[in-house]
Amino acid sequence: MVIHQLVARLDPGDAISNQALSMHELFRSWGFESRLYAFDMDDYGKRFAEFDTEYRKFMHREEDLLIYHFGIYCDNHRYFLESKNRKVLIYHNITPPEFYETFYPEAERLCRMGRELMPRLKDCDLALGDSDYNRRELVEAGFPEEKTGVLPINPPLDKLDNVEEDRPFLRRLEDGKTNLLFVGRVVPNKRVEDVIKLFACYRYGVNARSRLVIAGIHLATYQSALLSFTDRLGLLDAVHFLGKVSDSTLKACYLGAHYYISMSEHEGFCVPLLEAFHFGVPVLAFAAGAVPETMGGAGILFVEKDYPLLAELLGRLDRDRLMRERIVSAQYRRLEEFRTQVFAARLREVIDRFASPGAAGAATARDSEERSA
Amino acid sequence: MTIYVNGRELDEHGLAGKSEARRRAGLYPEGFLRLLGRSARDELSDSHCAMVEEVKELNRALYESGANLEPPPDLAREGERKGRLESFLRRLQTRFIRAVCEGYVQQQQFFNSYFSKGLILCFLQVYGREEETPLEGDERLDSRAFLNPPWGRDTEEEVAEACAGVDCLVLGIPSVDFLETLRERANLVLALDASEEAVARAQARMLPAWCGTRFSHLLELSGRGAEVCLVARPESLGARELEEVLGWAAAHLPNKGRVLVARGPSKAYGVVEREGAARPHPPAFLAALLRRHGFEVGELRLGSVDFLEGLKRGGEEDRSSPPGSEGGEAG
């Protein structure tokens, strides 16, 4: 059995790409022949994947398994529809298009088309959400409940552990100020303006010795609006938009952060929450989408955005070391459930439903034959 | 509001009480709270307007240079044809988004430069300075401490007395004790300082203090007015910012409202020669600035510090004398 994975795009730092790559490595380590295809990819992606047109020649093979990572509309869904392979859909969630309205019409269109497409993909052997929130959306879209399941994300924490932090940047963060951090794509559903509002209340009302660091690739129109808003609040010298950062700078961000803030109003999983857990940064997050599920009872969740009150809560955490420690401990405990071994076991269960005994071994034998030839 | 800490509901009454106390103390003025209701989309329309203006300029320049970029130059505000403008804006939006997000339109650099300017400014704060160079607020604090020692208790008492019973703004925090005294004797509306340290100390005592380097902008943001504007540390402001602050005072103080400006040393001696170090403004310059904004200028000694007192006149403004044109001392 050959395992094919199909994604819209493969590039570093993206949660879907990371997930696909992590599965690709596991499949190979288990002895399966694993192939990865993308509609589009950068040089990094080309090291692991082929363009999706290469998949065509495998479409008729009934013994193979096709895993389609679905997170936005992409023309390569047609391969999934037409393939004779056994089929697994992994739904990473699609941002409701209205978030992109006026900011990015093209993304709005792709998200709308993606959501409209969902019911047509239900003819598969198994549909997995990377959170139960996502799985429920599949059921709402018409997927038979008994054919759905949950396969959580495997956060790429080892990658951050293995890289050395950007020391000059970390030194700058460790200057005695309190650092609030947001990591993620700077796009409208993340409500970065609300993070800035909370920071404004914290800096103007509770602790002037503070800064906000925002790390992540930005959507230019939204970013320009955020810059304008930050300027209006008189905070341009205290809010730092880093744009897309390297793993080394990202690690420095987490190491230098005192709090991680999420005001996002739509999340299918939210990997940065777990990265913050990993680095012992207390998380304050708005309870929206899959965020409560990912947090799993650790960290701080709130259901209303009362900025002065939340700023006061940050002030309390500044002073109350015990409370802070309790939060960090709970976050570490929660993180155990997302370790690679746990993910690998769950993924193996999924694959074993499709693999006939000896399928992996056959691939290993074929691999060694190819190597010796 | 419900907050869960490690899955358990937090009793937030204490937090709510404290937050309300800060609001009452003036740390969250109404003007500021109103801004918290603003959405990113509201900002986008402003940015778009600015962008549209820039694109029109670009288009005009290209047209004049012989390049015939669409749309034709019938897009000026006067007598514009609505349908064409709308269609232009639609095309513009598409082009803009593609230019910035996908990067394949010739004018990409122009579009990008407009939006990345702000980004670069922010980024420089993190990466652009040399190692170990303190940030701006702290630099100002250092140089200020060197140039201008803290006020004595007698000065603090007399200044507080001079402001007794009225709404008072303080620009540059002489000491947190002074702010407390002022809160007791007068109505301290807001204190501004470029030093995060000084402001954090004030905030810890629930004193209305904000940190920033653009005082006039913060004054606008707070939406508060006052009868006395005390510029306690003029040397912590650049000449342009000082001019803007006095412009704000001229526009917002009521008639007979006062500006008190602490006079620095008459010569700029002993200034630390490094980037960001503040130099005291000569008294003649301060006096001329006050006059320029329509204030009647007098002198005042409170405790051991000399002040220039600017009294807002009700009538016409005398803007004939540029700053620095009058030699010697004020008064």
Side-chain angles (χ1 to χ4, degrees), chain A residues 216-362:
Chain A
I217 191 165
H218 65 264
L219 172 63
T221 41
Y222 183 57
Q223 170 83 354
S224 72
L226 291 180
L227 278 171
S228 167
F229 186 57
T230 308
D231 185 34
R232 198 181 292 278
L233 284 168
L235 291 171
L236 268 185
D237 50 358
V239 179
H240 303 274
F241 291 92
L242 302 185
K244 185 163 183 157
V245 295
S246 63
D247 284 344
S248 133
T249 305
L250 181 63
K251 185 173 180 179
C253 285
Y254 282 117
L255 289 174
H258 295 88
Y259 304 106
Y260 182 88
I261 312 290
S262 167
M263 288 285 182
S264 180
E265 293 191 354
H266 181 265
E267 289 293 343
F269 186 85
C270 200
V271 173
L273 297 177
L274 297 184
E275 290 174 347
F277 283 13
H278 179 67
F279 286 100
V281 183
V283 171
L284 283 86
F286 180 61
V291 168
E293 193 185 332
T294 303
M295 302 263 288
I300 295 178
L301 265 183
F302 47 91
V303 294
E304 198 182 311
K305 294 179 183 177
D306 181 337
Y307 306 105
L309 190 75
L310 292 169
E312 212 60 61
L313 177 58
L314 286 174
R316 179 167 166 194
L317 286 170
D318 287 341
R319 297 185 302 274
D320 191 341
R321 182 175 289 187
L322 190 64
M323 186 181 186
R324 217 184 138 86
E325 281 172 6
R326 280 206 310 263
I327 290 169
V328 171
S329 304
Q331 292 182 171
Y332 281 140
R333 281 197 300 277
R334 171 64 177 157
L335 194 60
E336 289 305 311
E337 295 166 41
F338 292 96
R339 292 290 172 203
T340 301
Q341 298 88 321
V342 180
F343 172 76
R346 287 178 129 166
L347 180 64
R348 186 72 213 210
E349 276 174 33
V350 171
I351 297 306
D352 284 347
R353 291 168 67 166
F354 299 96
S356 55

Side-chain angles (χ1 to χ4, degrees), chain B residues 286-299:
Chain B
L286 296 174
L289 264 189
L290 282 166
R291 285 199 194 90
R292 179 179 167 140
H293 287 286
F295 291 98
E296 252 172 38
V297 181
E299 284 196 5

